Amino acid sequence: MRSTFKKMDKLLLLLMLVFTIFGLVMIFSASSITAVLYNGASESYYFRKQLIVVIASWIIGFSIVLKLKTKSYELLAPAGMIAILISLILVFSYGTITNGSKSWFDLGFASIQPSEFLKPVMIVYLGVYFDKLLKKKNYNIFLIFIPFILIGACFILTALQPDLGTALIIAGIAGIVFMYLPINTKQMKKIKIGCAIAAVIGLILIFTYSLNGEQTSRLTFSAPCTRYTEKTGYQVCNGMIAISNGGLFGVGLGNSTQKYLYLPEAHTDFIFPIVCEELGAVTGAIIILLYLVLLIRLLQIARKAGTVKGYIIALGTFAYILLHLLVNFMGILALIPLTGVPVPFLSYGGSYYLCLIMMLFVCERVVIESKAEATKKIIKSI
């Protein structure tokens, strides 16, 4: 274990730990009022549930994921994709409705969202598939599209729940990986341009013809405080009030007024405004800076990866975190429609935290294997 720890990326591990601890503190603060008034429970109700997930995630990460060679993903990733595809079909019959979407399986002791688990599994699946494909000297160019057809089916099933926010992030991750595949032929460049144009047209068609009444209402997202009686206007305006209340240095940890049910999702989608209200814009800026460091580190891991598989896993994890940050932050600032996606590490939610931390441990495994491969090359060259 000690030798494994030495090979890990220490900066990535430190960022994971700092974000996790800070997230737990903010979840306790932001959820305390909701826990008492909505659930009739103690102030630490949501904090304790999240803490259990955090502890379990780190134990699994260190004891299993970190020790599991990425070669084993060659069997696990395709099986995982098939299992999630089946789950996305079954959720229409056996799922429970939450916030207007039939996206969850209620297991009694916990709720599982299959579309959330799709994100990390598809990243690993893409890494495994293209690692195998690109090792071949001659392959049919159309084989590149096979994994994206499967992901496209999952995208459609997720959008039909309806959970368009999650569906678009799934498409975004797949799109970023596709655009940065290490295939630089002239034919591939033309295909990438064509697919980018098709994606833009597809988005226009989705937002024009495929939205239900509630989703269509979200397209009116600007000037939220002039629409205070509307759902999206009310939520976003109160988020802006929270940010404004905090000023530069905040009103103090635990002293937010907007978490008193003005923000109905204070501990999930709108936790960042609570951070800014209680700890100030300076702390908010530091958090954003740390996110940038995390994203840059993942790109560095991708660049140094010794295999196509490692490169795509790190790149996909970068896209995974980046898209969640962009969609959440731009939504609460009324720059795009509000879709309700969690903030990495900070938002309450067991499924998302587990998936996120697992992917980062997988990236740590990529680092370990890349260093081992580099050492082998040095020894051979001597």
Side-chain angles (χ1 to χ4, degrees), residues 123 127 131 176-177 179-183 298-299 301-317 366 370:
I123 292 169
D131 190 66
I176 289 173
V177 170
M179 294 303 290
Y180 288 94
L181 283 174
I183 308 172
L298 288 170
L299 288 179
I301 291 171
R303 183 174 58 83
K304 295 177 181 178
T307 62
V308 171
K309 177 170 50 186
Y311 165 77
I312 290 177
I313 286 172
L315 176 65
T317 306
V366 169
S370 297

Side-chain angles (χ1 to χ4, degrees), residues 28 57 63 71 81-82 95 136 152 266 284 300 302 337 340 353 359:
F28 177 77
S57 298
S63 62
K71 187 174 178 60
M81 283 298 296
I82 293 170
K136 300 175 182 178
Q300 291 173 336
Y353 182 85
M359 279 312 302

